[in-house]
Amino acid sequence: MWQEDYRKKCISAEAAIKKLQGMRRIVVGHACSEPTTLIDALVDQKTLFDKLEIVHMVAMGKSAYTAPEMAAYFRHNALFAGGSTRAAIQANRADYTPCFLYEVPRLFKNGCLPVDAALIQLSRPDAHGYCSFGLSNDYTKPAAEAAKVVIAEVNDQMPRTFGDNFIHVSELDYIVETSVPLLQMARAAIGDTERAIGGYCAELVDNGSTLQLGIGGIPDAVLLSLADKKGLGIHSEMFSDGVVDLYEAGVITNQNKTLHKGQMVVTFVMGTDRLYKFIDDNPKVAFYPVDYVNHPAVIAKNYKMVSINACIEVDIMGQVSSESIGYKQFSGTGGQVDYVRGASMAEGGKSIIAMPSTAKGGTVSRIVPLLQEGSAVTTSRNDVQYIVTEYGIADMRGKTLKARAQALVNIAHPNFRSELAEAVEKRYKER
Ligand code: COA
């Protein structure tokens, strides 16, 4: 009986962390599914470890293991930089590994980044002994499948969610029972600029489209602008509270989807209790591993797939930098390129990169002649399609370098247009 197996595997967080002694690499459950009780216990027992590698992506917890005084015990390997890990990466106390999000499960499974232990958070088991991955399937489920040892924090506050999103008690090595609030992500502030960007993005979204929405204020503003649309669907790496509003308003129906008709497909969610209550025991929301949800060939099966993502900077050739500010690794590639490519390949698909025209209180243009020294190109000039600012839409497809540059000048902030136009003229003048 699974119940007896479950009881035998239950230990304290402190005892569970002791099982990691001598290991080289652990993977931590993603985003708002981070097993916070286990991570606190790990940090408390730091002296057991000698530069234990901690692999994580969007870290929504405290990431105390990246503090300067932890350097002798832990080394963070970030597949995406976040608010609590960015400083350590920028100080070279932690590492950043470039990757596409859809390929992360393969890194864990094919011996490229072997996983000694996966520290995950799960819902309580159902009557058959299956625990749900709750808020995050993404790389968390594949990491548990690849790991030599699986330690699960079973939290009775974790929602039970559907899809290919379960693990049986027999596949867990150690269980730590908890009842703790889940990590949350508050709604982003939306101002006039975001609203204007949302309006232009909405012009590109036909009724019946399937959407992917990235992270931050712009995706939320786009959702607000879609209130008059009909029959939209969701196939997205992640979504947040804004999607619940549109679903309850009857705008998102998922009825026109050509893949998983009637269901929202996602690999992780981040939001507030409202979202977490919505997904709990809801068969209309299906969670799958990220190597399925974000695979460009899978994304491309969605008719009228529209991807909407944000960026830091775009140069006049249309090269998009979304993850670094000069030499500083700010975030990561995440699923941006997975969706840019998948949406471009889809029948009737469109990929949109949206950004405010300026940063730093209007003092710098995000459309620039050259990317800042040290910046990484996230979406290449060959992959990019629509670029949107609060001043309009620039379509890069099929345009010469000069025509692209001119289209980008037209959507730059008026304060920067003349100097950009000069740079375009200088670069592309006939000699
Ligand atoms: N020059 C200098 N600083 C800049 C800048 C520029 N061109 N562009 C942005 N910044 C600064 C901002 O001032 C801000 O600084 P602050 O935190 O001190 O206020 C910071 O960078 C973040 O900029 P902002 O545009 O507000 O970020 P955001 O929260 O809207 O996120 C991305 C935008 C691009 C960082 C985010 O969407 C991302 O990480 N994308 C890559 C991954 C992805 O697209 N995944 C998709 C699926 S989830």
Side-chain angles (χ1 to χ4, degrees), residues 65-71 74-77 84-95:
Y65 49 81
T66 63
E69 62 274 20
M70 298 286 162
F74 304 116
R75 181 85 187 173
H76 175 43
N77 181 359
S84 57
T85 56
R86 205 170 277 144
I89 297 166
Q90 289 172 8
N92 292 320
R93 257 192 341 269
D95 299 301

Side-chain angles (χ1 to χ4, degrees), residues 268-283:
F268 71 99
V269 296
M270 294 198 284
T272 69
D273 282 338
R274 175 154 193 258
L275 173 69
Y276 300 165
K277 280 196 185 99
F278 173 77
I279 60 170
D280 187 30
D281 254 326
N282 186 345

Side-chain angles (χ1 to χ4, degrees), residues 215 237 309-312 322 325 330-333 336 359 366 372:
I215 193 165
E237 169 183 321
N309 292 294
C311 74
I312 299 279
S322 309
I325 304 173
F330 184 80
S331 57
T333 306
Q336 180 167 123
R366 296 204 193 209
Q372 293 177 52

Side-chain angles (χ1 to χ4, degrees), residues 137-158:
N137 182 316
D138 45 65
Y139 69 77
T140 308
K141 182 170 187 278
E145 288 162 357
K148 294 186 195 108
V149 173
V150 181
I151 302 180
E153 178 167 343
V154 172
N155 183 356
D156 64 6
Q157 299 189 31
M158 176 62 93

Side-chain angles (χ1 to χ4, degrees), residues 219-267:
D220 279 357
V222 174
L223 286 167
L224 284 179
S225 307
L226 296 175
D228 296 334
K229 303 285 176 183
K230 292 187 172 50
L232 300 181
I234 297 290
H235 180 111
S236 191
E237 169 183 321
M238 66 156 284
F239 64 75
S240 195
D241 290 43
V243 161
V244 184
D245 300 339
L246 277 194
Y247 183 82
E248 289 180 347
V251 175
I252 293 173
T253 63
N254 300 300
Q255 287 306 318
N256 296 299
K257 289 180 76 180
T258 44
L259 189 66
H260 299 280
K261 185 175 173 179
Q263 282 185 318
M264 300 196 216
V265 170
V266 72
T267 194

